[in-house]
Amino acid sequence: MYIVSPEAPASPPAPTPVEIPTSSLDIIRRHVVWSMAAGLVPIPLVDLAAVAGTQLKMISNLADHYKLPFDEERGRSVIGSLIGTVSALSIGRGVLGSLIKSIPVVGTIGGMAVVPVMAGAATYALGKIFAAHFESGGTLLTFDARAMKDEFSRQLKVGEEVAHGLKDKVAAGIS
């Protein structure tokens, strides 16, 4: 949902803040962790497929939580549309990180440093966008990826910080 301001027609309207309940945030957090784990799969592109599956499951779980119908094909389409709205640089980092894993040893280590964070960030951003949309009365059918582009980009940046924090917590627990 957006607020329209007649004073500033040249800039896109800011999204209306929506309070996301803890129960929805728990679903998002759980799937961020699963996406980061899927990003660790050492086989190029299989990791990205696992992440996409986790993201689709998260949106399905959020829809169930809000007692909304969920259609898997529509879910895939909406995720693809939304992720396709972000810069090629953001997407490229995740894909490149996945492809780098095909280089023995060095590539695997490098890819495992990049892909889990990007997977977690994208999952976080998707979760926040969909939870806010569902919380404000939207459904999967009324979701407009183009209208959510700027908010998705903002949430992706926040998601990177969240994913780095989770990665650091895990690393601290291992050492």
Side-chain angles (χ1 to χ4, degrees):
M1 182 160 304
Y2 291 96
I3 300 171
V4 178
S5 172
E7 294 86 7
S11 63
T16 303
V18 174
E19 186 74 27
I20 299 174
T22 304
S23 54
S24 297
L25 293 174
D26 289 342
I27 292 169
I28 295 166
R29 242 181 258 115
R30 184 173 54 250
H31 287 85
V32 166
V33 170
W34 280 109
S35 285
M36 291 178 73
L40 291 171
V41 172
I43 303 166
L45 302 180
V46 171
D47 54 353
L48 297 181
V51 169
T54 302
Q55 292 169 341
L56 190 62
K57 181 66 175 159
M58 175 185 64
I59 294 170
S60 172
N61 288 348
L62 285 169
D64 286 347
H65 178 69
Y66 286 95
K67 298 180 180 14
L68 296 170
F70 179 78
D71 175 67
E72 190 172 325
E73 286 303 315
R74 176 73 177 152
R76 278 193 193 109
S77 173
V78 169
I79 290 171
S81 295
L82 189 56
I83 289 180
T85 66
V86 297
S87 73
L89 180 60
S90 295
I91 299 296
R93 284 176 28 206
V95 173
L96 183 61
S98 178
L99 293 175
I100 283 175
K101 289 180 183 179
S102 64
I103 302 169
V105 184
V106 175
T108 301
I109 293 168
M112 288 183 170
V114 173
V115 177
V117 170
M118 288 310 300
T123 302
Y124 176 87
L126 282 169
K128 290 290 292 259
I129 293 292
F130 277 94
H133 179 68
F134 293 158
E135 189 66 31
S136 65
T139 67
L140 198 57
L141 291 174
T142 62
F143 188 83
D144 182 358
R146 284 177 285 156
M148 299 307 286
K149 175 185 175 184
D150 292 337
E151 183 60 19
F152 182 75
S153 293
R154 279 190 285 278
Q155 291 298 334
L156 190 60
K157 289 176 186 161
V158 174
E160 283 188 54
E161 293 173 23
V162 168
H164 276 295
L166 286 170
K167 184 176 141 191
D168 293 344
K169 282 182 185 178
V170 169
I174 292 173
S175 9

